Amino acid sequence: MAAFQLLVNGVALGAAYALVALGFVLVLNATSAVNFAQGDLVMAGGLLAVALAPLIPLPGIVLLPVVLVLMAALGLLLALAAYLPLRRRPPVSVFISTIAVGIILQNGAAILFGPEPRAAPPLFGDETLHIAGLAVPEQSLAIVAVAALLIGAQQWIFARTQLGRRLRATAQDPEMARACGVPVTAMILVTFAIGAACAGAAGLLLANRYFVTPTSGGDLILKAYIAVTVGGWGSVPGAVVGALLIALFEVGVSSVLSYPVALGALYLTLLAILVLRPQGLFGEAVRRRG
Amino acid sequence: MRRALPLLIGLLAAMSCLSPAARADDTLSFPVLVPLTGFLSLEGTSQRNGAVLALKQTPAGVAIASEVVDTGTSPEAAVTALERAAGSGTVGAVAASMLGTQMLAMLPLAQELKLPLVTVSGTASITEQGNPWVFRFFPGDAVTKSAHARYVVEELGKRQPAIIYQTTAYGQSGKTHLDAAFKALGVTPVFEEGVDPAAKDLLPVLTKALAAKPDVLVLHLHSGPTALLLRQAASSGVTLPIVAGSAMHQPSTAALLEPAELKGVCAETAASPISGDTPEVKAFTDAYRTAFGKDPDAFALGQYDGMTMVLEAVKAGARTPDAIRKALSAETFKGLAMTYRSDGKGNMAHSAVIVCYDGTSRVPKLVKRYDDPTLAAK
């Protein structure tokens, strides 16, 4: 029974991590640039939800669209300030600029909100459901449902719409896409917006159960990086599977061994994948392009 | 001309005594060098606020200057801040970072510059360096963890504790002292496990702890993880008593939880200003709320008491860093949280309290005070 309860918690955590990794991998695919500010965007999304909660005293599900829109706008700003001016420079320039944006977000959040941990409102309710001896928080179920919905919607946009086709063309070969009349710069801006919106959704989902502080993004970018490396550099399904794997170690393995041992086992697994299957579980989408 | 020259020099000397620069030389500076960004920003902000509030009480006839510098979390930044502060006028004493690694880096420089460092750092080793310039106004783990263990064993009558601690230096130190305190009381924990502060879900460790059949949960976690574990314990229907570490007493920790989730939870701490057990503490809490728009915690009160003792020394005539050091070393000071006196190593605080929540409010009640609990535990 305890194992089933841990499974529910692990899937909920993995679903939220998947949104973090998804935003990271979308930008990676569109620009070949590693957005080191992704973790801090998650933090910004969480604190945005905290700030909006008193203004819109309704459940988190009503806040979610507002957070998505505002975070998409922040993503556009990030692209305009930290990516587009440096797109012709060596990749390390974008690494540094996104790290700088992350630090600015952290310090800005510390000034605006203070250092205290804060909790965002729950998506629907804060109750715990007792089902067949299991204590399942409503928020855990809501996280899984909302993350699945957002990931599904994103897959649908990418697979079935003209915008999605243009985004994919930009991600696969920006020069060829430009030659075919695709507005590549606009597509890159849209990708940054979607990536930041994903981060915002993850921030709202995580900040209720696990709280948010101005420094909580640093840990999340590391997890996104591991998820993408495990799944395959640039692979969207790989990022989701990688995120679920991290949650499996954090919740599942740590329940049998201990948290430090589970963390060690996760890094050993990462090392083994890098040695035995360096392209990741789902292959490297980004390298294939080159 | 020969007679006029000494007169001119004398006149210039007299004028220089009256100049603003000379008046500035009479001003005693009390820099506040604390971590306002990074992982210790919550506690560092409390420390800053406590120091700033104390420094508003300027003793009559003494001009005081103060500058707040964010030391972040790197030892280098703290050392640079101390060097810079020392070069900007006559420093009386420094409100110095509560981060142990920063204090250890600053100590040799403070000894070289002959500047008293007044801190609320809990790191035991800072007062074990043989450095006479450090003064700690917060009980170390030896004191607080003895009180923690004694409350569990002597007041609650529990003898099968499960200890969940943080894997950080803070957590390891607390766990070591808890082990020693329980051993002194003849109790062996049935479960002990460290948790990384980045762990999002604490249900795995809680499940394992409960499987060991404890009669009490003893926590030594940072603020966020403490709230997370208490929330998961409440939603899992855990009815065991929980005695948490000092992070629980911080108002920002309690703010993350519903009062019902706090029912029966206790915590050790140096003080709980919001509990307002005396009119003086209540007045401090009100002044703090007015100044900073938030509730104070024990770190704020400890640093406030420390800087107030420094200012008392100045009021009594200490005008140099060495005179202030001597006063801090020799005097006894009745602060708001407790009575402070140096043990010869710069440890000024020797009391701890236990506070408990009744499930109806986020303000805990003081249930037990331990003055020098290490002596009794031995």
Side-chain angles (χ1 to χ4, degrees):
Chain A
M1 200 61 83
F4 201 75
Q5 179 129 21
L6 289 167
L7 181 69
V8 173
N9 281 26
V11 171
L13 188 60
Y17 283 167
L19 280 174
V20 183
L22 203 59
F24 180 83
V25 83
L26 287 177
V27 172
L28 178 70
N29 279 347
T31 65
S32 297
V34 174
N35 176 13
F36 278 111
Q38 188 70 14
D40 294 304
L41 287 172
V42 176
M43 172 275 295
L47 285 176
L48 185 59
V50 170
L52 288 172
L55 305 174
I56 310 171
L58 294 168
I61 194 70
V62 183
L63 287 182
L64 184 62
V66 184
V67 169
L68 290 177
V69 170
L70 291 175
M71 286 301 295
L74 185 59
L76 288 178
L77 275 178
L78 171 67
L80 290 170
Y83 174 70
L84 291 182
L86 302 169
R87 64 196 296 194
R88 310 267 177 234
R89 304 279 175 83
V92 71
S93 306
V94 178
F95 294 176
I96 302 292
S97 71
T98 54
I99 288 171
V101 167
I103 293 170
I104 290 168
L105 285 173
Q106 266 185 43
N107 290 337
I111 291 166
L112 287 173
F113 294 93
E116 294 85 4
R118 289 166 188 271
L123 277 171
F124 294 104
D126 222 357
E127 299 300 312
T128 300
L129 304 176
H130 293 275
I131 309 164
L134 289 177
V136 183
E138 278 180 17
Q139 178 73 1
S140 293
L141 297 177
I143 287 175
V144 176
V146 169
L149 199 69
L150 287 174
I151 293 169
Q154 198 168 290
Q155 285 297 91
W156 179 78
I157 288 171
F158 272 73
R160 303 293 174 100
T161 66
Q162 181 65 8
L163 173 67
R165 278 188 281 276
R166 288 179 166 188
L167 287 168
R168 278 191 292 140
T170 303
Q172 281 167 12
D173 193 331
E175 297 309 320
M176 184 58 77
R178 183 174 283 116
C180 294
V182 174
V184 169
T185 302
M187 290 303 105
I188 287 173
L189 287 173
V190 170
T191 306
F192 267 95
I194 294 175
C198 282
L204 189 151
L205 298 178
L206 286 167
N208 173 258
R209 278 188 62 72
Y210 308 114
F211 315 127
V212 57
T213 64
T215 54
S216 56
D219 174 54
L220 292 170
I221 183 63
L222 183 65
K223 282 170 183 166
Y225 206 100
I226 294 172
V228 173
T229 306
V230 167
W233 201 239
S235 164
V236 171
V240 174
V241 170
L244 288 169
L245 192 69
I246 292 172
L248 173 74
F249 273 90
E250 282 191 10
V251 179
V253 178
S254 74
S255 70
V256 179
L257 303 169
S258 69
Y259 192 85
V261 174
L263 219 53
L266 172 64
Y267 287 112
L268 277 178
T269 306
L270 174 67
L271 199 62
I273 289 173
L274 286 173
V275 171
L276 300 172
R277 193 173 163 79
Q279 71 274 37
L281 298 176
F282 285 73
E284 289 190 2
V286 171
R287 183 175 288 180
R288 230 184 13 248
R289 191 176 72 204
Chain B
M1 184 68 190
R2 278 182 185 169
R3 272 182 297 177
L5 189 62
L7 189 67
L8 186 63
I9 291 170
L11 192 63
L12 284 172
M15 281 175 69
S16 70
C17 287
L18 296 172
S19 69
R23 282 202 300 273
D25 285 345
D26 292 339
T27 302
L28 269 180
S29 168
F30 296 94
V32 180
L33 316 179
V34 293
L36 299 176
T37 52
F39 67 87
L40 213 64
S41 55
L42 176 61
E43 293 81 0
T45 303
S46 292
Q47 192 188 5
R48 187 263 321 260
N49 294 348
V52 167
L53 199 59
L55 289 169
K56 284 183 178 172
Q57 311 160 341
T58 308
V62 183
I64 278 182
S66 183
E67 180 192 16
V68 176
V69 179
D70 175 17
T71 57
T73 50
S74 78
E76 297 84 359
V79 168
T80 305
L82 183 57
E83 275 175 342
R84 206 184 87 183
S88 60
T90 307
V91 175
V94 176
S97 172
M98 64 185 304
L99 181 56
T101 50
Q102 292 192 327
M103 281 301 295
L104 289 169
M106 283 195 282
L107 280 171
L109 183 61
Q111 188 158 18
E112 190 185 316
L113 297 169
K114 301 191 186 310
L115 291 179
L117 302 184
V118 177
T119 186
V120 287
S121 171
T123 303
S125 54
I126 65 166
T127 50
E128 291 164 5
Q129 308 291 312
N131 189 320
W133 295 90
V134 61
F135 299 94
R136 186 214 313 268
F137 283 80
F138 200 83
D141 281 341
V143 174
T144 56
K145 293 297 123 183
S146 290
H148 201 164
R150 282 185 61 193
Y151 184 75
V152 166
V153 176
E154 294 172 358
E155 302 300 319
L156 298 181
K158 305 298 181 186
R159 303 194 65 83
Q160 292 178 289
I163 301 175
I164 301 173
Y165 59 96
Q166 217 81 76
T167 51
T168 56
Y170 159 83
Q172 299 281 358
S173 170
K175 184 249 182 192
T176 303
H177 284 94
L178 269 175
D179 279 346
F182 276 123
K183 192 176 176 189
L185 294 160
V187 168
T188 305
V190 295
F191 175 85
E192 289 182 295
E193 189 165 309
V195 189
D196 191 281
K200 294 284 180 211
D201 197 323
L202 297 183
L203 190 60
V205 70
L206 180 62
T207 305
K208 278 187 291 178
L210 295 176
K213 308 279 183 216
D215 55 8
V216 59
L217 290 177
V218 175
L219 311 183
H220 185 66
L221 303 168
H222 293 297
S223 172
T226 298
L228 185 56
L229 195 131
L230 291 178
R231 178 184 277 187
Q232 294 198 313
S235 69
S236 302
V238 173
T239 53
L240 287 176
I242 298 176
V243 187
S246 60
M248 181 62 249
H249 97 282
Q250 292 178 272
S252 54
T253 308
L256 295 169
L257 299 160
E258 293 301 320
E261 292 172 317
L262 290 165
K263 187 171 174 55
V265 172
C266 297
E268 55 81 8
T269 176
S272 175
I274 58 168
S275 301
D277 49 322
T278 65
E280 292 80 11
V281 172
K282 196 171 178 314
F284 163 81
T285 302
D286 290 343
Y288 190 99
R289 283 177 180 145
T290 305
F292 307 110
K294 57 174 79 173
D295 287 334
D297 58 19
F299 300 116
L301 186 54
Q303 193 67 46
Y304 175 89
D305 277 347
M307 296 314 288
T308 304
M309 185 175 180
V310 168
L311 293 178
E312 286 294 320
V314 173
K315 203 189 290 181
R319 290 290 189 275
T320 64
D322 193 46
I324 291 171
R325 181 189 67 80
K326 282 176 180 157
L328 294 179
S329 303
E331 304 294 329
T332 296
F333 175 65
K334 190 171 184 327
L336 296 184
M338 64 189 78
T339 297
Y340 299 90
R341 64 181 181 283
S342 176
D343 64 351
K345 295 177 180 176
N347 293 308
M348 309 293 287
H350 311 283
S351 298
V353 296
I354 301 292
V355 294
C356 294
Y357 297 84
D358 63 7
T360 62
S361 128
R362 294 188 179 92
V363 178
K365 288 185 174 56
L366 200 153
V367 297
K368 184 80 182 169
R369 171 174 285 279
Y370 292 94
D371 291 314
D372 216 343
T374 50
L375 297 177
K378 283 169 190 166

